[in-house]
Amino acid sequence: MIRIRFQAAVAAAGLLLASAALTQEPAPRPVATITQLMQAMIIPASNALFNVPRQVPGDDAGWDAVRNQAVILAESGNLLMVGDRAGDSGVWMETSRALTDAGEAALAAALARDVDAITSVGDQIIDACERCHEKHWIR
Ligand code: HEC
């Protein structure tokens, strides 16, 4: 009798665990290394924005491309904050957020086709890169 109750309890606990696992939402799952994020997204996107004052887009397609690079840069700041990528809760999170803020400002400037605004956002971007690298890029 006791044994049957025990088995029933184990079965019930198993069911509970299984349903807990089933109802768990999928979470972000970081794939790339930090270097890969730099190479695939952050370096090309920031270069494209730095280049705007020297090579001002002359048509819609050119501005669309600048807008897309601003989107990539803004969202890459969020990716730097995901999972165990965060190097610490201080400078790492602050400069990742600064990258997202700068990317958002670049996006607004790209939508307004405002070259002066993109030029000054460039300084904001470089500041975020440098402040993180100073602490976290051990060379
Ligand atoms: C939140 C921190 C952080 C921010 C912000 C950041 N980086 Fe990095 N970056 C790193 C780290 C950490 C490494 C070194 C990764 C390693 O060696 O494992 C790195 C590496 C690099 C590298 C070397 C890549 C290679 O091929 O080895 C370049 C170039 C670079 N970053 C450019 C940038 C630029 C440009 C920006 C801004 C637009 C930027 N980074 C913003 C953390 C950051």
Side-chain angles (χ1 to χ4, degrees), residues 34-35 38-39 42-43 46 73 80 92 95-96 99 125 128-129 132-133 136-137:
I34 298 296
T35 298
M38 295 292 147
Q39 292 173 344
I42 295 169
I43 297 165
S46 58
L73 195 68
L80 286 171
W92 187 281
T95 55
S96 299
L99 203 58
I125 296 170
C129 315
C132 185
H133 290 166
H136 291 286
W137 185 5

Side-chain angles (χ1 to χ4, degrees), residues 32-50 68-81 85 92 95-100 103 125-126 128-130 132-133 137:
T33 64
I34 298 296
T35 298
Q36 286 168 341
L37 279 186
M38 295 292 147
Q39 292 173 344
M41 302 175 71
I42 295 169
I43 297 165
S46 58
N47 278 338
L49 297 171
F50 297 148
N68 291 340
Q69 297 305 313
V71 166
I72 290 172
L73 195 68
E75 293 295 348
S76 70
N78 289 327
L79 293 179
L80 286 171
M81 296 167 122
R85 283 191 182 133
W92 187 281
T95 55
S96 299
R97 172 55 59 78
L99 203 58
T100 292
I125 296 170
I126 290 172
C129 315
E130 285 179 348
C132 185
H133 290 166
W137 185 5

Side-chain angles (χ1 to χ4, degrees), residues 60-125:
D60 288 355
W63 280 110
D64 286 352
V66 174
R67 179 203 64 205
N68 291 340
Q69 297 305 313
V71 166
I72 290 172
L73 195 68
E75 293 295 348
S76 70
N78 289 327
L79 293 179
L80 286 171
M81 296 167 122
V82 172
D84 61 3
R85 283 191 182 133
D88 64 25
S89 55
V91 171
W92 187 281
M93 297 303 261
E94 283 164 27
T95 55
S96 299
R97 172 55 59 78
L99 203 58
T100 292
D101 293 345
E104 187 184 26
L107 176 58
L111 292 172
R113 303 191 175 187
D114 184 340
V115 177
D116 288 344
I118 292 201
T119 308
S120 61
V121 167
D123 293 336
Q124 221 179 305
I125 296 170

